[in-house]
Amino acid sequence: MWSAFFIMIIKEEKGILIKDTHFNPQHVLECGQVFRYTCDNGEYSVFSADKFATVAKVSDGYYVSTDSPDYFFNYFDLDTDYDKIVSHVSQISPIMQSATQYGYGIRILKQDFYETLFSFIISANNNIKRIQLIIERLCNQLGKTTPHGKAFPTVEALASVDADFYRSIGAGYRSQYLADTAKKVHNGYDFTFSSTAEISSKLCKLLGVGQKVADCVMLFSLMRKDVFPVDTWIKKVYHAYFEDGRRDNEIRQRLIEIFGEYSGYAQQYLFYYQRSIF
DNA sequence: TCCCAGGCAAGGC
DNA sequence: GCCTTGCATGGG
């Protein structure tokens, strides 16, 4: 048994009890950072790589049931103080007050690197429902069977098929990107980089990975918060609440100037909020 | 029918 | 370097 110092978290052999207002499974899982979850009667199930958990409301908080409590403690970023983050970003811009109130309980997940990489290559110029469908087919056909369903495929499995396979599961013109990147990373991917800029440029050398996808991978799996994924929704936010015009990369730089080391958090609240308005 | 979706690569300047 | 275009697919 173990508890965090600022919120009440009790880690047990088969799960984690979370008593913290800054944890809401609906907002954590449905805010667009992860694609492989389901909801049944208010109870969420989530896969990460080959690990599985369910999250249910209990009288004094939420209970995460899993065989891998250590993994999901890390996955749900439970040793980070979101009270501090929310109050900080809320002071920066009035829109952030609305965004953090709407998306209360969002936390930035620490997801599997390869799952995040391939998921966000699929996400390019695509919509979330179809992204989820393509990933589901990918897992069903290439993932290992586990007691709770199919795991996300290993890099070996992803590299063992060609572009035609990815076309057959509906990946469209991203099929060649997936096949090419799978072979590249399977042949050994260098993780010795250090700075965010260094990781970014390395990721952007992979086919199907541009600045936006690289930012998502760094934010959702490599714990880099000094990034700001600029997609079609963030552009709408920027033009509505900050200023008109500017190119994508300029918008990214401006927002990182504004939010600094809290950029990744701010981005996720804004993305989720903007999509709710639409 | 056209537009949009968590964009990117390639080719032209 | 910046700008334009084509790209699979399904839903509104």
Side-chain angles (χ1 to χ4, degrees):
Chain A
M1 189 179 285
W2 188 93
S3 64
F5 59 96
F6 44 84
I7 55 175
M8 190 60 183
I9 294 171
I10 302 168
K11 198 155 67 177
E12 300 171 346
E13 196 185 339
K14 287 289 185 182
I16 311 163
L17 175 62
I18 305 171
K19 304 181 194 178
D20 180 12
T21 53
H22 293 286
F23 178 82
N24 180 283
Q26 181 190 353
H27 293 167
V28 168
L29 297 171
E30 293 188 8
C31 73
Q33 60 180 326
V34 57
F35 302 107
R36 225 155 38 104
Y37 65 88
T38 55
C39 180
D40 183 27
N41 256 333
E43 181 173 316
Y44 284 85
S45 298
V46 58
F47 257 108
S48 176
D50 60 349
K51 310 285 196 303
F52 178 80
T54 60
V55 187
K57 181 93 186 76
V58 290
S59 61
D60 48 355
Y62 289 97
Y63 195 78
V64 179
S65 300
T66 177
D67 292 335
S68 318
D70 289 323
Y71 182 87
F72 281 99
F73 182 91
N74 183 58
Y75 178 83
F76 285 119
D77 195 24
L78 293 177
D79 56 358
T80 297
D81 183 356
Y82 278 74
D83 211 30
K84 180 181 157 195
I85 292 162
V86 167
S87 55
H88 180 87
V89 296
S90 298
Q91 286 168 9
I92 292 179
S93 159
I95 186 61
M96 287 308 302
Q97 292 186 18
S98 311
T100 54
Q101 276 170 28
Y102 173 76
Y104 69 93
I106 284 181
R107 307 177 82 87
I108 301 295
L109 298 172
K110 296 180 184 173
Q111 302 185 58
D112 176 78
F113 171 77
Y114 291 111
E115 178 170 351
T116 312
L117 173 62
F118 288 96
S119 295
F120 277 92
I121 289 176
I122 292 168
S123 81
N125 195 26
N126 211 337
N127 61 67
I128 290 178
K129 272 226 177 330
R130 213 166 75 85
I131 297 164
Q132 289 175 325
L133 199 64
I134 294 167
I135 292 173
E136 193 184 323
R137 292 189 197 122
L138 185 62
C139 296
N140 284 339
Q141 300 205 32
L142 291 185
K144 285 182 189 158
T145 303
T146 79
H148 300 102
K150 294 286 190 177
F152 193 85
T154 61
V155 170
E156 290 71 33
L158 293 167
S160 73
V161 294
D162 57 12
D164 281 339
F165 166 79
Y166 292 107
R167 230 165 260 126
S168 77
I169 60 167
Y173 66 88
R174 308 160 197 83
S175 300
Q176 192 56 53
Y177 305 161
L178 293 165
D180 189 275
T181 292
K183 284 181 174 53
K184 256 187 216 161
V185 297
H186 184 230
N187 287 336
Y189 195 65
D190 183 10
F191 270 102
T192 57
F193 32 56
S194 57
S195 71
T196 298
E198 205 177 333
I199 301 171
S200 179
S201 77
K202 207 128 202 176
L203 282 171
C204 288
K205 288 189 177 120
L206 298 170
L207 207 54
V209 180
Q211 186 66 73
K212 191 274 174 183
V213 170
D215 277 354
C216 286
V217 174
M218 291 191 285
L219 176 58
F220 302 136
S221 77
L222 298 180
M223 291 148 278
R224 300 288 167 152
K225 305 306 190 303
D226 53 338
V227 300
F228 214 111
V230 174
D231 74 325
T232 163
W233 297 99
I234 291 298
K235 275 184 239 178
K236 286 173 190 163
V237 169
Y238 189 78
H239 295 143
Y241 305 109
F242 294 87
E243 59 181 333
D244 285 331
R246 294 191 185 277
R247 291 185 300 270
D248 291 6
N249 199 45
E250 221 173 344
I251 292 174
R252 178 181 187 272
Q253 291 306 328
R254 294 273 297 145
L255 289 167
I256 290 174
E257 276 173 34
I258 293 169
F259 292 101
E261 60 181 314
Y262 294 88
S263 293
Y265 301 107
Q267 182 275 158
Q268 203 53 32
Y269 284 110
L270 288 173
F271 173 81
Y272 189 51
Y273 182 58
Q274 183 64 28
R275 273 173 52 86
S276 80
I277 294 171
F278 182 72

mmCIF file of all heavy atoms in Angstrom, chain A residues 146-184:
data_model
loop_
_atom_site.group_PDB
_atom_site.id
_atom_site.type_symbol
_atom_site.label_atom_id
_atom_site.label_comp_id
_atom_site.label_asym_id
_atom_site.label_seq_id
_atom_site.Cartn_x
_atom_site.Cartn_y
_atom_site.Cartn_z
ATOM 1 N N THR A 146 -4.786 -11.681 -25.430
ATOM 2 C CA THR A 146 -4.568 -11.606 -23.981
ATOM 3 C C THR A 146 -5.880 -11.999 -23.305
ATOM 4 O O THR A 146 -6.913 -12.093 -23.978
ATOM 5 C CB THR A 146 -4.172 -10.178 -23.536
ATOM 6 O OG1 THR A 146 -5.361 -9.377 -23.466
ATOM 7 C CG2 THR A 146 -3.190 -9.537 -24.515
ATOM 8 N N PRO A 147 -5.864 -12.201 -21.994
ATOM 9 C CA PRO A 147 -7.106 -12.598 -21.307
ATOM 10 C C PRO A 147 -8.245 -11.598 -21.486
ATOM 11 O O PRO A 147 -9.410 -11.955 -21.351
ATOM 12 C CB PRO A 147 -6.679 -12.662 -19.837
ATOM 13 C CG PRO A 147 -5.218 -12.946 -19.881
ATOM 14 C CD PRO A 147 -4.703 -12.235 -21.095
ATOM 15 N N HIS A 148 -7.931 -10.336 -21.802
ATOM 16 C CA HIS A 148 -8.973 -9.316 -21.885
ATOM 17 C C HIS A 148 -9.225 -8.823 -23.304
ATOM 18 O O HIS A 148 -9.990 -7.891 -23.513
ATOM 19 C CB HIS A 148 -8.621 -8.142 -20.981
ATOM 20 C CG HIS A 148 -8.477 -8.529 -19.543
ATOM 21 N ND1 HIS A 148 -7.250 -8.704 -18.940
ATOM 22 C CD2 HIS A 148 -9.410 -8.817 -18.604
ATOM 23 C CE1 HIS A 148 -7.431 -9.076 -17.690
ATOM 24 N NE2 HIS A 148 -8.720 -9.158 -17.450
ATOM 25 N N GLY A 149 -8.560 -9.413 -24.289
ATOM 26 C CA GLY A 149 -8.730 -8.974 -25.671
ATOM 27 C C GLY A 149 -7.384 -8.881 -26.361
ATOM 28 O O GLY A 149 -6.383 -9.379 -25.853
ATOM 29 N N LYS A 150 -7.393 -8.246 -27.510
ATOM 30 C CA LYS A 150 -6.164 -8.173 -28.298
ATOM 31 C C LYS A 150 -5.265 -7.038 -27.835
ATOM 32 O O LYS A 150 -5.732 -5.926 -27.558
ATOM 33 C CB LYS A 150 -6.514 -7.954 -29.764
ATOM 34 C CG LYS A 150 -7.248 -9.115 -30.400
ATOM 35 C CD LYS A 150 -6.306 -10.279 -30.645
ATOM 36 C CE LYS A 150 -6.987 -11.344 -31.503
ATOM 37 N NZ LYS A 150 -6.069 -12.450 -31.807
ATOM 38 N N ALA A 151 -3.972 -7.332 -27.780
ATOM 39 C CA ALA A 151 -2.990 -6.302 -27.452
ATOM 40 C C ALA A 151 -2.700 -5.453 -28.681
ATOM 41 O O ALA A 151 -3.029 -5.855 -29.807
ATOM 42 C CB ALA A 151 -1.702 -6.958 -26.964
ATOM 43 N N PHE A 152 -2.100 -4.293 -28.477
ATOM 44 C CA PHE A 152 -1.614 -3.534 -29.625
ATOM 45 C C PHE A 152 -0.447 -4.324 -30.213
ATOM 46 O O PHE A 152 0.372 -4.865 -29.474
ATOM 47 C CB PHE A 152 -1.154 -2.134 -29.201
ATOM 48 C CG PHE A 152 -0.931 -1.217 -30.369
ATOM 49 C CD1 PHE A 152 -1.989 -0.505 -30.910
ATOM 50 C CD2 PHE A 152 0.324 -1.087 -30.950
ATOM 51 C CE1 PHE A 152 -1.799 0.325 -32.008
ATOM 52 C CE2 PHE A 152 0.523 -0.260 -32.049
ATOM 53 C CZ PHE A 152 -0.541 0.447 -32.581
ATOM 54 N N PRO A 153 -0.359 -4.402 -31.541
ATOM 55 C CA PRO A 153 0.686 -5.234 -32.148
ATOM 56 C C PRO A 153 2.094 -4.776 -31.770
ATOM 57 O O PRO A 153 2.340 -3.585 -31.568
ATOM 58 C CB PRO A 153 0.459 -5.041 -33.652
ATOM 59 C CG PRO A 153 -0.948 -4.578 -33.778
ATOM 60 C CD PRO A 153 -1.247 -3.801 -32.541
ATOM 61 N N THR A 154 2.987 -5.741 -31.701
ATOM 62 C CA THR A 154 4.395 -5.410 -31.464
ATOM 63 C C THR A 154 4.990 -4.822 -32.736
ATOM 64 O O THR A 154 4.421 -4.939 -33.822
ATOM 65 C CB THR A 154 5.186 -6.681 -31.120
ATOM 66 O OG1 THR A 154 5.097 -7.581 -32.248
ATOM 67 C CG2 THR A 154 4.629 -7.367 -29.886
ATOM 68 N N VAL A 155 6.146 -4.194 -32.593
ATOM 69 C CA VAL A 155 6.838 -3.636 -33.754
ATOM 70 C C VAL A 155 7.174 -4.743 -34.762
ATOM 71 O O VAL A 155 7.091 -4.539 -35.977
ATOM 72 C CB VAL A 155 8.109 -2.889 -33.308
ATOM 73 C CG1 VAL A 155 8.968 -2.521 -34.505
ATOM 74 C CG2 VAL A 155 7.735 -1.645 -32.522
ATOM 75 N N GLU A 156 7.520 -5.907 -34.242
ATOM 76 C CA GLU A 156 7.813 -7.049 -35.123
ATOM 77 C C GLU A 156 6.595 -7.368 -35.996
ATOM 78 O O GLU A 156 6.715 -7.550 -37.209
ATOM 79 C CB GLU A 156 8.184 -8.295 -34.304
ATOM 80 C CG GLU A 156 9.524 -8.232 -33.606
ATOM 81 C CD GLU A 156 9.538 -7.260 -32.427
ATOM 82 O OE1 GLU A 156 8.485 -7.114 -31.767
ATOM 83 O OE2 GLU A 156 10.586 -6.639 -32.192
ATOM 84 N N ALA A 157 5.430 -7.442 -35.353
ATOM 85 C CA ALA A 157 4.206 -7.750 -36.096
ATOM 86 C C ALA A 157 3.885 -6.647 -37.101
ATOM 87 O O ALA A 157 3.504 -6.922 -38.238
ATOM 88 C CB ALA A 157 3.048 -7.945 -35.124
ATOM 89 N N LEU A 158 4.059 -5.413 -36.696
ATOM 90 C CA LEU A 158 3.754 -4.284 -37.583
ATOM 91 C C LEU A 158 4.681 -4.263 -38.793
ATOM 92 O O LEU A 158 4.292 -3.854 -39.888
ATOM 93 C CB LEU A 158 3.881 -2.955 -36.808
ATOM 94 C CG LEU A 158 2.839 -2.739 -35.709
ATOM 95 C CD1 LEU A 158 3.234 -1.573 -34.809
ATOM 96 C CD2 LEU A 158 1.463 -2.477 -36.310
ATOM 97 N N ALA A 159 5.925 -4.711 -38.572
ATOM 98 C CA ALA A 159 6.910 -4.719 -39.659
ATOM 99 C C ALA A 159 6.779 -5.953 -40.550
ATOM 100 O O ALA A 159 7.378 -6.013 -41.620
ATOM 101 C CB ALA A 159 8.321 -4.635 -39.078
ATOM 102 N N SER A 160 5.983 -6.917 -40.104
ATOM 103 C CA SER A 160 5.887 -8.176 -40.854
ATOM 104 C C SER A 160 4.873 -8.106 -41.995
ATOM 105 O O SER A 160 4.748 -9.052 -42.773
ATOM 106 C CB SER A 160 5.499 -9.316 -39.907
ATOM 107 O OG SER A 160 4.140 -9.193 -39.526
ATOM 108 N N VAL A 161 4.127 -7.020 -42.071
ATOM 109 C CA VAL A 161 3.120 -6.885 -43.139
ATOM 110 C C VAL A 161 3.488 -5.720 -44.060
ATOM 111 O O VAL A 161 4.320 -4.882 -43.706
ATOM 112 C CB VAL A 161 1.709 -6.653 -42.538
ATOM 113 C CG1 VAL A 161 1.258 -7.873 -41.771
ATOM 114 C CG2 VAL A 161 1.711 -5.415 -41.640
ATOM 115 N N ASP A 162 2.870 -5.672 -45.223
ATOM 116 C CA ASP A 162 3.193 -4.599 -46.165
ATOM 117 C C ASP A 162 2.041 -3.591 -46.260
ATOM 118 O O ASP A 162 1.035 -3.709 -45.566
ATOM 119 C CB ASP A 162 3.528 -5.170 -47.543
ATOM 120 C CG ASP A 162 2.376 -6.017 -48.085
ATOM 121 O OD1 ASP A 162 1.280 -5.970 -47.500
ATOM 122 O OD2 ASP A 162 2.597 -6.719 -49.083
ATOM 123 N N ALA A 163 2.226 -2.623 -47.146
ATOM 124 C CA ALA A 163 1.244 -1.538 -47.269
ATOM 125 C C ALA A 163 -0.145 -2.067 -47.643
ATOM 126 O O ALA A 163 -1.155 -1.489 -47.219
ATOM 127 C CB ALA A 163 1.724 -0.510 -48.282
ATOM 128 N N ASP A 164 -0.192 -3.137 -48.408
ATOM 129 C CA ASP A 164 -1.494 -3.688 -48.801
ATOM 130 C C ASP A 164 -2.312 -4.126 -47.592
ATOM 131 O O ASP A 164 -3.528 -3.985 -47.572
ATOM 132 C CB ASP A 164 -1.303 -4.885 -49.750
ATOM 133 C CG ASP A 164 -1.010 -4.417 -51.168
ATOM 134 O OD1 ASP A 164 -1.353 -3.255 -51.478
ATOM 135 O OD2 ASP A 164 -0.419 -5.196 -51.943
ATOM 136 N N PHE A 165 -1.617 -4.661 -46.578
ATOM 137 C CA PHE A 165 -2.331 -5.034 -45.359
ATOM 138 C C PHE A 165 -2.968 -3.799 -44.727
ATOM 139 O O PHE A 165 -4.148 -3.804 -44.361
ATOM 140 C CB PHE A 165 -1.403 -5.704 -44.344
ATOM 141 C CG PHE A 165 -2.025 -5.776 -42.974
ATOM 142 C CD1 PHE A 165 -2.960 -6.761 -42.689
ATOM 143 C CD2 PHE A 165 -1.724 -4.827 -42.007
ATOM 144 C CE1 PHE A 165 -3.568 -6.808 -41.434
ATOM 145 C CE2 PHE A 165 -2.338 -4.869 -40.757
ATOM 146 C CZ PHE A 165 -3.259 -5.863 -40.472
ATOM 147 N N TYR A 166 -2.192 -2.726 -44.607
ATOM 148 C CA TYR A 166 -2.719 -1.508 -43.970
ATOM 149 C C TYR A 166 -3.857 -0.918 -44.797
ATOM 150 O O TYR A 166 -4.809 -0.360 -44.265
ATOM 151 C CB TYR A 166 -1.592 -0.499 -43.756
ATOM 152 C CG TYR A 166 -0.596 -0.967 -42.716
ATOM 153 C CD1 TYR A 166 0.669 -1.402 -43.068
ATOM 154 C CD2 TYR A 166 -0.950 -0.997 -41.369
ATOM 155 C CE1 TYR A 166 1.571 -1.856 -42.118
ATOM 156 C CE2 TYR A 166 -0.066 -1.452 -40.407
ATOM 157 C CZ TYR A 166 1.192 -1.875 -40.785
ATOM 158 O OH TYR A 166 2.065 -2.328 -39.833
ATOM 159 N N ARG A 167 -3.761 -1.085 -46.119
ATOM 160 C CA ARG A 167 -4.851 -0.639 -46.989
ATOM 161 C C ARG A 167 -6.113 -1.456 -46.694
ATOM 162 O O ARG A 167 -7.219 -0.917 -46.669
ATOM 163 C CB ARG A 167 -4.421 -0.818 -48.453
ATOM 164 C CG ARG A 167 -4.631 0.415 -49.299
ATOM 165 C CD ARG A 167 -3.877 0.328 -50.624
ATOM 166 N NE ARG A 167 -2.635 1.077 -50.582
ATOM 167 C CZ ARG A 167 -1.437 0.585 -50.882
ATOM 168 N NH1 ARG A 167 -1.313 -0.673 -51.253
ATOM 169 N NH2 ARG A 167 -0.365 1.346 -50.802
ATOM 170 N N SER A 168 -5.923 -2.747 -46.426
ATOM 171 C CA SER A 168 -7.075 -3.634 -46.212
ATOM 172 C C SER A 168 -7.820 -3.323 -44.919
ATOM 173 O O SER A 168 -8.983 -3.671 -44.768
ATOM 174 C CB SER A 168 -6.617 -5.098 -46.197
ATOM 175 O OG SER A 168 -5.996 -5.408 -44.959
ATOM 176 N N ILE A 169 -7.154 -2.671 -43.968
ATOM 177 C CA ILE A 169 -7.866 -2.306 -42.737
ATOM 178 C C ILE A 169 -8.359 -0.860 -42.793
ATOM 179 O O ILE A 169 -8.832 -0.315 -41.794
ATOM 180 C CB ILE A 169 -6.988 -2.521 -41.473
ATOM 181 C CG1 ILE A 169 -5.710 -1.683 -41.519
ATOM 182 C CG2 ILE A 169 -6.675 -4.006 -41.293
ATOM 183 C CD1 ILE A 169 -4.973 -1.624 -40.193
ATOM 184 N N GLY A 170 -8.222 -0.222 -43.954
ATOM 185 C CA GLY A 170 -8.826 1.092 -44.153
ATOM 186 C C GLY A 170 -7.931 2.284 -43.879
ATOM 187 O O GLY A 170 -8.418 3.407 -43.728
ATOM 188 N N ALA A 171 -6.621 2.049 -43.837
ATOM 189 C CA ALA A 171 -5.715 3.152 -43.505
ATOM 190 C C ALA A 171 -5.536 4.136 -44.669
ATOM 191 O O ALA A 171 -4.957 5.208 -44.491
ATOM 192 C CB ALA A 171 -4.355 2.605 -43.071
ATOM 193 N N GLY A 172 -6.034 3.756 -45.842
ATOM 194 C CA GLY A 172 -5.999 4.688 -46.969
ATOM 195 C C GLY A 172 -4.588 5.068 -47.367
ATOM 196 O O GLY A 172 -3.689 4.231 -47.386
ATOM 197 N N TYR A 173 -4.399 6.348 -47.655
ATOM 198 C CA TYR A 173 -3.092 6.773 -48.170
ATOM 199 C C TYR A 173 -2.003 6.780 -47.092
ATOM 200 O O TYR A 173 -0.843 7.000 -47.402
ATOM 201 C CB TYR A 173 -3.190 8.158 -48.817
ATOM 202 C CG TYR A 173 -3.515 9.269 -47.871
ATOM 203 C CD1 TYR A 173 -2.513 9.943 -47.194
ATOM 204 C CD2 TYR A 173 -4.830 9.656 -47.632
ATOM 205 C CE1 TYR A 173 -2.792 10.973 -46.317
ATOM 206 C CE2 TYR A 173 -5.138 10.669 -46.759
ATOM 207 C CZ TYR A 173 -4.112 11.323 -46.112
ATOM 208 O OH TYR A 173 -4.405 12.325 -45.234
ATOM 209 N N ARG A 174 -2.381 6.506 -45.836
ATOM 210 C CA ARG A 174 -1.373 6.409 -44.774
ATOM 211 C C ARG A 174 -0.730 5.029 -44.740
ATOM 212 O O ARG A 174 0.191 4.795 -43.960
ATOM 213 C CB ARG A 174 -2.008 6.719 -43.426
ATOM 214 C CG ARG A 174 -2.785 8.021 -43.409
ATOM 215 C CD ARG A 174 -3.770 8.065 -42.263
ATOM 216 N NE ARG A 174 -4.784 9.094 -42.456
ATOM 217 C CZ ARG A 174 -5.877 8.921 -43.183
ATOM 218 N NH1 ARG A 174 -6.099 7.777 -43.779
ATOM 219 N NH2 ARG A 174 -6.741 9.910 -43.312
ATOM 220 N N SER A 175 -1.233 4.122 -45.561
ATOM 221 C CA SER A 175 -0.757 2.735 -45.533
ATOM 222 C C SER A 175 0.746 2.628 -45.776
ATOM 223 O O SER A 175 1.448 1.893 -45.082
ATOM 224 C CB SER A 175 -1.520 1.913 -46.570
ATOM 225 O OG SER A 175 -2.901 1.936 -46.266
ATOM 226 N N GLN A 176 1.217 3.355 -46.785
ATOM 227 C CA GLN A 176 2.647 3.303 -47.089
ATOM 228 C C GLN A 176 3.465 3.895 -45.944
ATOM 229 O O GLN A 176 4.561 3.418 -45.634
ATOM 230 C CB GLN A 176 2.932 4.049 -48.393
ATOM 231 C CG GLN A 176 4.329 3.821 -48.939
ATOM 232 C CD GLN A 176 4.633 2.339 -49.154
ATOM 233 O OE1 GLN A 176 3.870 1.628 -49.814
ATOM 234 N NE2 GLN A 176 5.727 1.849 -48.583
ATOM 235 N N TYR A 177 2.930 4.932 -45.294
ATOM 236 C CA TYR A 177 3.633 5.544 -44.151
ATOM 237 C C TYR A 177 3.812 4.510 -43.031
ATOM 238 O O TYR A 177 4.874 4.379 -42.437
ATOM 239 C CB TYR A 177 2.846 6.728 -43.570
ATOM 240 C CG TYR A 177 2.479 7.820 -44.539
ATOM 241 C CD1 TYR A 177 1.462 8.721 -44.221
ATOM 242 C CD2 TYR A 177 3.137 7.978 -45.759
ATOM 243 C CE1 TYR A 177 1.105 9.742 -45.085
ATOM 244 C CE2 TYR A 177 2.788 8.993 -46.630
ATOM 245 C CZ TYR A 177 1.762 9.873 -46.285
ATOM 246 O OH TYR A 177 1.412 10.873 -47.134
ATOM 247 N N LEU A 178 2.717 3.783 -42.748
ATOM 248 C CA LEU A 178 2.744 2.803 -41.664
ATOM 249 C C LEU A 178 3.734 1.683 -41.964
ATOM 250 O O LEU A 178 4.541 1.304 -41.112
ATOM 251 C CB LEU A 178 1.340 2.227 -41.454
ATOM 252 C CG LEU A 178 0.303 3.223 -40.926
ATOM 253 C CD1 LEU A 178 -1.109 2.680 -41.097
ATOM 254 C CD2 LEU A 178 0.568 3.571 -39.467
ATOM 255 N N ALA A 179 3.671 1.169 -43.187
ATOM 256 C CA ALA A 179 4.552 0.060 -43.568
ATOM 257 C C ALA A 179 6.012 0.501 -43.510
ATOM 258 O O ALA A 179 6.872 -0.205 -42.963
ATOM 259 C CB ALA A 179 4.192 -0.427 -44.970
ATOM 260 N N ASP A 180 6.280 1.675 -44.043
ATOM 261 C CA ASP A 180 7.655 2.176 -44.092
ATOM 262 C C ASP A 180 8.200 2.446 -42.686
ATOM 263 O O ASP A 180 9.305 2.028 -42.334
ATOM 264 C CB ASP A 180 7.693 3.454 -44.932
ATOM 265 C CG ASP A 180 9.110 3.898 -45.207
ATOM 266 O OD1 ASP A 180 9.698 4.600 -44.361
ATOM 267 O OD2 ASP A 180 9.635 3.514 -46.275
ATOM 268 N N THR A 181 7.403 3.122 -41.862
ATOM 269 C CA THR A 181 7.849 3.447 -40.501
ATOM 270 C C THR A 181 8.019 2.191 -39.656
ATOM 271 O O THR A 181 8.953 2.089 -38.862
ATOM 272 C CB THR A 181 6.854 4.419 -39.840
ATOM 273 O OG1 THR A 181 6.933 5.674 -40.526
ATOM 274 C CG2 THR A 181 7.179 4.641 -38.373
ATOM 275 N N ALA A 182 7.141 1.218 -39.840
ATOM 276 C CA ALA A 182 7.258 -0.033 -39.082
ATOM 277 C C ALA A 182 8.593 -0.709 -39.388
ATOM 278 O O ALA A 182 9.298 -1.164 -38.472
ATOM 279 C CB ALA A 182 6.103 -0.970 -39.426
ATOM 280 N N LYS A 183 8.964 -0.741 -40.651
ATOM 281 C CA LYS A 183 10.229 -1.379 -41.011
ATOM 282 C C LYS A 183 11.413 -0.591 -40.479
ATOM 283 O O LYS A 183 12.393 -1.166 -39.991
ATOM 284 C CB LYS A 183 10.307 -1.552 -42.525
ATOM 285 C CG LYS A 183 9.425 -2.715 -42.984
ATOM 286 C CD LYS A 183 9.469 -2.980 -44.470
ATOM 287 C CE LYS A 183 8.678 -4.235 -44.821
ATOM 288 N NZ LYS A 183 7.280 -4.220 -44.309
ATOM 289 N N LYS A 184 11.296 0.729 -40.538
ATOM 290 C CA LYS A 184 12.389 1.568 -40.031
ATOM 291 C C LYS A 184 12.615 1.352 -38.534
ATOM 292 O O LYS A 184 13.744 1.144 -38.099
ATOM 293 C CB LYS A 184 12.069 3.041 -40.287
ATOM 294 C CG LYS A 184 12.860 3.616 -41.459
ATOM 295 C CD LYS A 184 12.647 5.109 -41.578
ATOM 296 C CE LYS A 184 12.625 5.528 -43.036
ATOM 297 N NZ LYS A 184 12.002 6.843 -43.229
#
